[in-house]
Amino acid sequence: MRRHHDDEVPADEIHEHDRGLSYDLPVLARRRMIRLMAGVGAGLVPLVGCTADDTSTPSASASGSASSAECVTVPEETAGPYPGDGSNGVNVLKESGVVRGDITRSFGDSAGGTAEGVPLTFTLTVVDAASGCGTPKRGAAVYVWHCDREGGYSLYTEGVADENYLRGVQETDDRGEVTFTSVFPGCYTGRWPHIHFEVYGSLADATTATAITSTSQLALPKDVCDTVYATEGYESSVDNLGRLSLESDSVFRDGHDRQLAVVKGSVAEGYTATLTIAV
């Protein structure tokens, strides 16, 4: 049953999804221990992010991330309990139709619903860490998922468990980019507004749900969240966001500048978000 958003959750009752990497290590150990051990075993390069001042991304603003052009490591984050990637049973990645740019609608044999909310188009640019973020990673793949404006996750939350919207996969183009058309996610109790993503070495890896390269989360800036949550349908997000900050969030409190997207736009015209990541 969906959690009531107007009830503040004590620290000792925070959902497992909200506790961050340190709490999730036992789960991550089963799925990503090679990546978490910083190159042990397979010599994998950890996920790193390029800040918004990098020439490959838009200039930072009050709604964007910070200030250096360095190619720096981004924390590996929990996938949470709602990934839909087969790690906890349900697997949307093997379904026909999951490779798509518009993730607002459900597909396949699902209920066929559409997620409502303020339009959000977000672009992730995947680049090669070994090149100092200078070379696009062509032919990689990115799987994204996030909650709806009421804080529910398709495939899992009561009322939308038969839907698979707000989930999708794309292969990176010649610029290393994937772009998804979606809606602005809500803010539920205990977590800062965010979008999950997994990076795979290829589209074949993604659609067989194997060999995840990296898992992380994109954070959305407060000023934009405040504006969006003043609109119809996001009422519960107002109080939930008011109890949080990026510095207190269980995932982003250890450093969020490399995960905070640059966001532009308006409620009337919709928003765009961008973030560069490197693998």
Side-chain angles (χ1 to χ4, degrees):
M1 187 170 184
R2 188 175 299 182
R3 183 184 298 159
H4 293 288
H5 295 303
D6 53 354
D7 295 332
E8 188 167 358
V9 178
D12 60 351
E13 295 180 11
I14 293 176
H15 196 286
E16 65 179 45
H17 175 231
D18 304 329
R19 295 179 184 269
L21 181 60
S22 61
Y23 179 81
D24 285 338
L25 280 175
V27 176
L28 291 171
R30 295 193 299 269
R31 302 174 66 220
R32 303 181 181 88
M33 183 59 72
I34 292 177
R35 296 195 312 281
L36 292 173
M37 293 185 69
V40 173
L44 295 175
V45 178
L47 178 68
V48 297
C50 300
T51 63
D53 285 345
D54 192 295
T55 56
S56 63
T57 61
S59 297
S61 67
S63 299
S65 66
S67 64
S68 161
E70 295 179 69
C71 187
V72 294
T73 301
V74 169
E76 180 86 359
E77 305 290 10
T78 175
Y82 313 122
D85 61 1
S87 60
N88 64 355
V90 62
N91 192 341
V92 74
L93 292 173
K94 294 185 178 181
E95 294 185 17
S96 176
V98 72
V99 180
R100 58 192 186 142
D102 187 342
I103 61 174
T104 57
R105 296 177 180 272
S106 290
F107 63 91
D109 296 329
S110 293
T114 300
E116 302 293 337
V118 172
L120 173 68
T121 299
F122 60 96
T123 298
L124 301 177
T125 302
V126 184
V127 294
D128 182 26
S131 71
C133 292
T135 304
K137 288 285 283 187
R138 303 174 180 86
V142 183
Y143 167 46
V144 300
W145 71 98
H146 63 82
C147 71
D148 60 25
R149 69 179 176 183
E150 295 181 339
Y153 282 87
S154 66
L155 302 177
Y156 295 89
T157 303
E158 183 178 354
V160 295
D162 292 331
E163 306 289 352
N164 57 24
Y165 56 47
L166 306 183
R167 300 176 183 274
V169 176
Q170 284 197 69
E171 183 178 33
T172 57
D173 62 17
D174 287 346
R175 295 176 295 182
E177 294 182 357
V178 291
T179 298
F180 294 92
T181 301
S182 189
V183 296
F184 205 95
C187 178
Y188 54 87
T189 305
R191 278 305 320 276
W192 190 263
H194 61 282
I195 296 172
H196 293 269
F197 61 88
E198 291 176 343
V199 181
Y200 291 80
S202 68
L203 188 61
D205 286 345
T207 54
T208 54
T210 57
I212 299 171
T213 300
S214 297
T215 303
S216 195
Q217 298 180 28
L218 174 156
L220 293 162
K222 184 180 187 303
D223 59 341
V224 178
C225 292
D226 285 337
T227 300
V228 172
Y229 295 162
T231 66
E232 182 179 359
Y234 288 95
E235 290 82 3
S236 63
S237 293
V238 176
D239 287 341
N240 293 331
L241 186 66
R243 297 173 180 147
L244 294 167
S245 70
L246 278 163
E247 290 72 26
S248 67
D249 180 73
S250 58
V251 170
F252 298 124
R253 64 189 175 195
D254 60 351
H256 57 266
D257 56 329
R258 310 306 177 185
Q259 295 162 281
L260 187 60
V262 174
V263 180
K264 300 178 180 180
S266 66
V267 168
E269 297 182 357
Y271 288 91
T272 61
T274 57
L275 185 70
T276 298
I277 57 177
V279 294

